[in-house]
Amino acid sequence: ITGKEFVENLDLELSRKNMTRAELCRKVGIGKSSFRNWLVHNNLPKIEIITAIAQVLAVPVGLICPDLDDAPTPRNLMQSIEN
């Protein structure tokens, strides 16, 4: 998935949740310029940011970033280390 596709997925989910990009950025704790950076540089944010975005939107990570559908989240990694 490219940065552009990631932003398209986010925008679709944001419209479903009736949330703005600015609101999402505030809730996740990232700058409003993040969307522009992902589009211009065609890259993805760190997994921690993707996970935080999915949590704020209350959706599975794979919905906004299909490449990470089965990727371990930081929480899953910590749980596996503890066990």
Side-chain angles (χ1 to χ4, degrees), residues 15-62:
S15 72
R16 288 181 182 153
K17 303 288 183 182
N18 198 27
M19 186 183 296
T20 66
R21 287 181 176 182
E23 288 174 298
L24 177 66
C25 290
R26 184 178 45 77
K27 290 180 179 187
V28 173
I30 57 176
K32 289 186 258 183
S33 62
S34 296
F35 279 83
R36 183 180 176 281
N37 290 336
W38 300 329
L39 283 169
V40 170
H41 300 292
N42 203 27
N43 60 8
L44 296 173
K46 293 180 180 179
I47 183 66
E48 295 85 3
I49 299 297
I50 294 172
T51 302
I53 289 170
Q55 289 175 345
V56 167
L57 295 175
V59 298
V61 169

